[in-house]
Amino acid sequence: MTKKKSGIFFSIAILAALLGICYYVFRDKLPEIMNTISGVPAATVAAILCAGMVYQLIDAAMCLVLLRSRVPALTYGEAFGLTMTGVFGLVCSNSIVTIPLQSLYLHTGGLNVGHTVGLMTVKYIFHKATVFLLALVLLLFNFQWLSASVPGVMRYLLPGFAVCFAIITLLILLCTWDKLRLLLYKILDRLPDRGRFGEKKAGWRESIDLMYTEMHFLLPQKRRVAAIMALNALKFMAVYAVPWLALRALGAAAPGFGHTALLTALTWLIAGVLPAVSGLGPLDVAFALLFGNFAAQSDVSAALVLYRASTYFVPFAVSLPTVFIMQRTVTRRLETKRSAE
């Protein structure tokens, strides 16, 4: 069996395993959920499933703006491939292989691996900051409504905002404050040179350098930074609309779009500070907690299934052929490079 065929079978196995996990989680409610969804026209279900890809398309545009700071000739197709690699890496390895795969692709296209690692880390910082800021802005406009409608969620907000803010602040300071960077160097130097710490010290130091370099290179480009933040906000508002579409399609007594966007933003915020396996777990719990106050349990479960399918399984299914095409491109580039040498 060739490596390519092995990769295809591995991807299919991952998808089957994820579907199996979802079946196990929802098995007791599955007949009721399917009965609820069956009342929705097929065209409406298809539109909801496709809505999740809007997030990925906008994310690719944001990735294009970010990476063109280093690779002016980068195309939207290549940026979309990198975004789909992120989806593939999230599902298959909980994001462990995402940056290595993206780095390999961009390196064969002419970008230094170090720049790729630094830029992808900066991308994560902007991503996290947008989640925090959108949730905060939506909360400020709807705080009274939320406290009256979902009083039980209030105790989760402070820890959620605090942890998210702490992560963002630490990463930003690490990328911009030279004294903190030098302090971390001193701490790393005190770690043992042998054992697992000795093996990782050089990598940690290099990662800190790369983040610092790329952030300082990007921050003076104010228009680019503004465009990145605007596209991030747009992609999140697109994905925040999916629960509203799903609940409306199911005929549930869902709150208005603005309130639904707030609930979804808080779902992302709370889920983002809890441990997850390939993106599964905390988001589902937070979704049920926040939306369970406005609709019947069967409608909330059906909306969650549609939301997960739209934002998780459909993008992963699209990522499979995309990553396969990228693999062929990388192989062709490497063969061309070897023949030229």
Side-chain angles (χ1 to χ4, degrees):
M1 184 181 293
T2 65
K3 290 183 179 180
K4 290 182 180 179
K5 289 183 178 179
S6 298
I8 293 171
F9 285 124
F10 175 74
S11 300
I12 294 173
I14 289 291
L15 181 59
L18 291 171
L19 291 172
I21 292 171
C22 284
Y23 172 78
Y24 179 80
V25 171
F26 294 106
R27 68 189 186 283
D28 295 332
K29 302 176 183 177
L30 193 58
E32 187 178 6
I33 291 172
M34 296 310 297
N35 183 58
T36 303
I37 295 176
S38 64
V40 181
T44 304
V45 173
I48 294 171
L49 294 181
C50 292
M53 278 304 298
V54 175
Y55 173 95
Q56 306 298 340
L57 292 170
I58 299 174
D59 185 74
M62 185 276 299
C63 191
L64 180 67
V65 172
L66 174 65
L67 289 171
R68 274 189 172 174
S69 64
R70 290 292 189 184
V71 191
L74 189 75
T75 66
Y76 179 81
E78 291 171 328
F80 179 75
L82 289 170
T83 294
M84 288 294 97
T85 301
V87 174
F88 181 83
L90 170 66
V91 175
C92 295
S93 69
N94 205 22
S95 295
I96 293 174
V97 303
T98 299
I99 290 182
L101 286 174
Q102 292 173 327
S103 298
L104 176 62
Y105 181 72
L106 289 173
H107 176 64
T108 58
L111 181 64
N112 181 279
V113 173
H115 288 314
T116 304
V117 174
L119 284 170
M120 291 299 102
T121 305
V122 169
K123 177 179 180 287
Y124 172 77
I125 295 173
F126 283 120
H127 173 96
K128 204 74 175 175
T130 308
V131 171
F132 178 87
L133 291 173
L134 269 181
L136 182 61
V137 170
L138 289 169
L139 179 63
L140 290 175
F141 280 101
N142 300 280
F143 182 81
Q144 291 185 346
W145 172 84
L146 183 69
S147 60
S149 303
V150 198
V153 77
M154 303 308 291
R155 66 178 180 271
Y156 297 102
L157 293 186
L158 183 58
F161 276 102
V163 173
C164 191
F165 180 78
I167 293 172
I168 296 167
T169 302
L170 178 61
L171 288 172
I172 291 176
L173 289 176
L174 189 60
C175 295
T176 57
W177 194 20
D178 196 46
K179 290 184 178 179
L180 178 59
R181 185 168 64 103
L182 296 176
L183 175 62
L184 287 175
Y185 287 167
K186 291 180 180 179
I187 294 173
L188 289 175
D189 289 339
R190 291 181 179 275
L191 294 176
D193 291 327
R194 296 182 179 180
R196 61 192 184 94
F197 285 117
E199 296 173 358
K200 295 181 178 180
K201 281 171 61 175
W204 287 338
R205 186 168 185 140
E206 183 182 11
S207 296
I208 293 170
D209 279 339
L210 293 172
M211 289 190 295
Y212 185 85
T213 300
E214 294 307 321
M215 184 64 87
H216 275 266
F217 174 75
L218 193 63
L219 285 179
Q221 305 177 52
K222 299 190 184 325
R223 290 186 179 180
R224 191 180 300 276
V225 171
I228 291 169
M229 292 299 292
L231 287 169
N232 264 335
L234 185 61
K235 78 178 184 183
F236 278 114
M237 290 309 296
V239 81
Y240 291 170
V242 176
W244 182 78
L245 292 172
L247 288 168
R248 292 285 176 179
L250 293 167
F257 176 77
H259 292 156
T260 303
L262 169 63
L263 296 176
T264 312
L266 295 178
T267 297
W268 275 70
L269 182 81
I270 295 171
V273 299
L274 296 174
V277 178
S278 296
L280 291 171
L283 188 142
D284 308 276
V285 175
F287 189 98
L289 171 70
L290 288 161
F291 286 95
N293 294 271
F294 302 98
Q297 187 178 26
S298 59
D299 289 331
V300 173
S301 297
L304 177 57
V305 169
L306 289 173
Y307 179 75
R308 271 305 194 180
S310 175
T311 61
Y312 193 82
F313 289 103
V314 170
F316 178 63
V318 174
S319 78
L320 295 179
T322 307
V323 171
F324 177 71
I325 293 170
M326 287 180 65
Q327 179 188 13
R328 296 183 63 182
T329 301
V330 169
T331 302
R332 186 172 62 252
R333 286 175 176 175
L334 289 174
E335 289 175 351
T336 302
K337 186 177 180 180
R338 290 194 194 100
S339 61
E341 292 175 352

